[in-house]
């Protein structure tokens, strides 16, 4: 089986990281450890959900992005904008004001991500009708797709093989521009992303696709647009060509429930990655979940409105999008007669390749060797305290036991075991202190008061 080669957009700034364990505790896949006083991400287990970024108190975890000036490498510069970006602004700011500000920054075109939602929906229905395995699972959220590959590999065949709106709309609009006589090499489509997972999915192991040339983090673009809007004179009337209007269905497609409400049968919409994991575990291990036809799973709370790169409150963002979508029940403009060639091209390229499992491999070796290692973990758990304090640099006792069996940690890393070993003369204090330094760094215990010669009695 060919393993997926994951690209990751989440990075750690070691100069800012203080090894506080917040990220390690929040990581839903247990991909983070503390070593030498710094957080380390196990790349094969990370799904780029961004939970670590949200929990970091020192902003040591960040999402990489392309240089904004890269847009000027192309004559035709397209901002591929999701509706959640419009939702960052209050109802008093019109879409025309927002889009005109985006174009003032240097873009020549603005196109909305959800424009292809109806076409995507029709393909999803077609695949759903022919599916042998139920429930079928939406491929909208790349963090969820990767989560299934890593933690629930038996469910990869349930994922619908349909392009996400960002990919479908980039494919469609690129063809539109080519039809207008713009050379392909002059077209630069840049996606405005609300999350790290979409960057990772778009860039992938082989770089960006032929249609998407880069990404712009949503918080970066928001700050630039806000600055323009704030400094406009009173009564300013923007002039720009607006992109085709979206229908109510299209505007709400990226919100929680935006997909599920348009399918027949028993359909569930679940957001926030810990909720998703809990549900999928129940589905795998119990008979509690039955007769579900479709699952809309999103990694962020309130879906893309809660993305880690969004600026506005997620609940306000979702409300704004709902209100802006009112009175928009029209025929989707994607089916306009003058766009037939691009529409036909999208129909032929609306699907994706089958998703490959890439299970979270705890142990290497043959089946027998893996079983022996699992038994070793079980025995280790009989001795470890089960407190899950994280002082060993692993998120919990189970993870520490697994790290020990993989030779990535030692039994003496547990502070409770250290005290027990000291008590029975199997470990001296100096050695125990070196173990703590290995996990938490040499300077972690050197507080200012100790450096100045203060004694415990004087504290």
């Amino acid at each position: 089986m060919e393993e997926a080669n994951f690209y990751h957009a989440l990075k750690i700034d070691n100069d800012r990281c203080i090894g506080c364990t917040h990220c390690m505790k929040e990581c839903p896949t247990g991909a983070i450890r503390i070593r030498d006083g710094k957080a380390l991400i196990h790349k094969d287990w990370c799904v780029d959900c961004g939970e670590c970024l949200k929990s970091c108190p020192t902003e040591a975890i960040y999402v990489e992005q392309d240089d904004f000036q890269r847009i000027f490498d192309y004559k035709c510069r397209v901002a591929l904008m999701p509706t959640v970006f419009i939702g960052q602004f209050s109802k008093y700011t019109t879409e025309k004001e927002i889009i005109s500000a985006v174009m003032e920054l240097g873009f020549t075109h603005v196109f909305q991500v959800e424009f292809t939602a109806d076409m995507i929906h029709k393909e999803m229905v077609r695949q759903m009708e022919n599916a042998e395995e139920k429930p079928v699972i939406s491929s909208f959220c790349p963090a969820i797709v990767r989560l299934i590959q890593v933690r629930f590999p038996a469910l990869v065949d349930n994922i619908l093989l349909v392009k996400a709106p960002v990919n479908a709309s980039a494919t469609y609009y690129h063809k539109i521009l080519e039809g207008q006589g713009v050379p392909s090499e002059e077209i630069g489509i840049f996606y405005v992303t609300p999350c790290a997972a979409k960057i990772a999915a778009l860039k992938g192991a082989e770089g960006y696709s032929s249609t998407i040339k880069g990404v712009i983090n949503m918080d970066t673009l928001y700050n630039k647009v806000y600055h323009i809007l704030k400094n406009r004179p009173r009564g300013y009337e923007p002039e720009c060509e607006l992109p085709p209007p979206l229908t109510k269905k299209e505007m709400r497609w990226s919100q929680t429930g935006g997909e599920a409400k348009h399918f027949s049968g028993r359909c569930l919409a679940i957001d926030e990655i810990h909720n998703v994991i809990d549900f999928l575990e129940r589905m795998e291990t119990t008979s509690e979940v039955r007769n579900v036809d479709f699952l809309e799973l999103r990694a962020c709370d309130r879906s893309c409105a809660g993305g880690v790169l969004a600026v506005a409150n997620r609940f306000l963002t979702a409300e704004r999008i709902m209100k802006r979508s009112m009175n928009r029940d029209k025929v989707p403009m994607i089916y306009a007669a003058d766009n037939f060639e691009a529409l036909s091209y999208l129909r032929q390229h609306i699907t994706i390749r089958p998703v490959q499992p890439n299970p979270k491999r705890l142990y290497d070796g043959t089946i027998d060797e893996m079983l022996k290692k699992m038994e070793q973990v079980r025995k280790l758990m009989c001795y470890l305290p089960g407190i899950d304090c994280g002082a060993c640099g692993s998120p919990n006792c189970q993870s520490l036991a697994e790290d020990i069996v993989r030779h990535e940690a030692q039994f003496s890393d547990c502070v409770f075991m250290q005290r027990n070993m000291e008590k029975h003369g199997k470990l001296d204090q100096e050695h125990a202190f070196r173990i703590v330094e290995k996990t938490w760094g040499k300077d972690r215990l050197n507080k200012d008061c100790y450096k100045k010669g203060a004694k415990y009695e004087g504290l």
Side-chain angles (χ1 to χ4, degrees):
M1 181 186 300
E2 180 184 355
E3 289 190 5
N5 190 2
F6 289 163
Y7 173 86
H8 295 283
L10 287 167
K11 309 294 182 184
I12 296 176
D13 183 346
N14 283 334
D15 292 335
R16 286 176 172 266
C17 180
I18 60 172
C20 64
T21 77
H22 285 77
C23 58
M24 183 178 73
K25 290 291 188 180
E26 288 298 322
C27 180
T29 59
I32 299 179
R33 299 290 186 273
I34 306 297
R35 297 290 183 265
D36 196 24
K38 306 294 181 182
L40 291 175
I41 300 177
H42 197 303
K43 294 182 186 277
D44 291 339
W45 301 350
C46 173
V47 298
D48 282 278
C49 64
E51 290 296 308
C52 55
L53 184 151
K54 291 191 291 186
S55 67
C56 182
T58 63
E59 299 182 350
I61 301 176
Y62 63 96
V63 180
E64 71 168 7
Q65 65 177 321
D66 296 317
D67 183 357
F68 188 84
Q69 296 303 312
R70 280 192 58 202
I71 71 172
F72 297 105
D73 293 342
Y74 303 89
K75 290 184 178 179
C76 182
R77 303 178 290 275
V78 183
L80 191 58
M81 180 188 299
T83 55
V84 71
F85 182 74
I86 301 295
Q88 302 300 292
F89 300 87
S90 75
K91 64 179 181 179
Y92 302 107
T93 306
T94 66
E95 290 184 37
K96 190 170 186 178
E97 289 175 322
I98 297 168
I99 291 170
S100 66
V102 170
M103 298 186 75
E104 282 184 36
L105 291 170
F107 288 100
T108 58
H109 299 73
V110 173
F111 195 70
Q112 300 194 66
V113 169
E114 293 81 4
F115 188 77
T116 53
D118 195 69
M119 174 66 70
I120 292 169
H121 173 233
K122 289 182 177 180
E123 176 61 24
M124 291 171 73
V125 170
R126 187 191 68 79
Q127 292 189 23
M128 188 172 173
E129 291 173 347
N130 298 325
E132 296 180 1
E133 297 288 336
K134 293 288 183 71
V136 295
I137 301 172
S138 168
S139 59
F140 177 94
C141 180
I144 295 300
V145 171
R146 192 172 289 189
L147 173 72
I148 291 173
Q149 290 177 280
V150 171
R151 283 199 58 172
F152 305 95
L155 296 175
V156 293
D157 291 335
N158 296 58
I159 298 173
L160 291 171
L161 304 180
V162 187
K163 282 185 175 179
V166 56
N167 304 92
S169 293
T171 299
Y172 174 82
Y173 198 57
H174 195 276
K175 199 66 178 177
I176 288 284
L177 293 172
E178 285 184 326
Q180 294 175 357
V182 183
S184 179
E185 64 273 11
E186 294 182 2
I187 301 173
I189 298 179
F190 291 80
Y191 174 55
V192 182
T193 178
C195 75
K198 287 186 170 67
I199 299 176
L202 290 174
K203 196 162 185 178
E206 301 174 358
Y208 293 115
S209 68
S210 59
T211 54
I212 296 178
K213 302 302 182 183
V215 294
I216 300 170
N217 290 2
M218 185 172 289
D219 52 356
T220 297
L221 187 64
Y222 172 85
N223 290 333
K224 291 178 180 291
V225 170
Y226 179 80
H227 179 75
I228 290 175
L229 296 178
K230 184 179 179 181
N231 289 282
R232 279 179 174 169
R234 185 181 298 274
Y236 177 85
E237 289 294 334
E239 294 183 6
C240 68
E241 183 179 349
L242 293 176
L246 301 182
T247 64
K248 180 189 296 185
K249 173 183 178 180
E250 290 167 342
M251 283 205 74
R252 298 181 181 182
W253 190 255
S254 63
Q255 301 304 297
T256 300
E259 293 178 290
K261 67 181 296 184
H262 296 291
F263 293 92
S264 58
R266 189 183 181 195
C267 305
L268 298 177
I270 304 168
D271 60 16
E272 207 281 321
I273 194 165
H274 294 91
N275 296 333
V276 171
I277 291 173
D278 178 70
F279 183 86
L280 293 180
E281 286 178 343
R282 289 173 182 269
M283 194 170 78
E284 276 195 332
T285 58
T286 72
S287 59
E288 182 180 356
V289 182
R290 295 181 179 179
N291 303 320
V292 178
D293 297 295
F294 175 77
L295 287 176
E296 173 199 305
L297 306 177
R298 308 286 177 85
C300 296
D301 186 10
R302 301 301 299 178
S303 193
C304 291
V308 295
L309 296 175
V311 176
N313 177 274
R314 61 190 183 278
F315 300 106
L316 292 177
T317 299
E319 180 192 42
R320 290 165 183 168
I321 293 172
M322 294 290 284
K323 287 184 176 180
R324 287 181 187 266
S325 68
M326 300 300 292
N327 303 318
R328 291 203 180 199
D329 284 325
K330 299 177 182 178
V331 176
M333 292 193 68
I334 191 173
Y335 303 114
D338 55 347
N339 297 332
F340 179 77
E341 184 180 349
L343 180 65
S344 177
Y345 183 81
L346 178 59
R347 282 197 180 104
Q348 298 171 30
H349 298 84
I350 196 71
T351 59
I352 59 175
R353 291 179 295 180
V355 178
Q356 299 299 319
N358 192 38
K360 178 180 177 179
R361 294 184 178 275
L362 293 177
Y363 320 110
D364 295 324
T366 64
I367 295 296
D368 288 340
E369 289 171 338
M370 291 182 186
L371 290 173
K372 288 180 180 179
K373 291 175 180 178
M374 291 173 66
E375 178 61 19
Q376 291 174 358
V377 169
R378 189 194 67 80
K379 290 180 179 179
L380 284 170
M381 288 299 293
C382 294
Y383 295 95
L384 293 173
I387 295 176
D388 297 342
C389 63
C392 59
S394 299
N396 49 54
C397 291
Q398 177 74 27
S399 297
L400 174 60
E402 293 165 355
D403 290 345
I404 293 170
V405 171
R406 287 195 303 272
H407 305 291
E408 295 174 2
Q410 298 178 352
F411 189 65
S412 56
D413 288 342
C414 173
V415 295
F416 293 91
M417 293 301 103
Q418 289 175 24
R419 301 289 81 76
N420 194 38
M421 293 168 75
E422 286 179 18
K423 178 181 178 180
H424 292 87
K426 296 182 179 180
L427 185 71
D428 59 65
Q429 289 185 349
E430 184 177 348
H431 188 189
F433 192 80
R434 288 199 301 269
I435 293 172
V436 173
E437 286 185 333
K438 182 180 178 182
T439 301
W440 299 103
K442 291 186 177 181
D443 297 328
R444 192 56 177 265
L445 301 180
N446 294 334
K447 300 298 182 181
D448 289 342
C449 58
Y450 303 151
K451 292 177 183 178
K452 293 176 182 177
K455 298 180 180 291
Y456 290 106
E457 294 83 359
L459 295 178

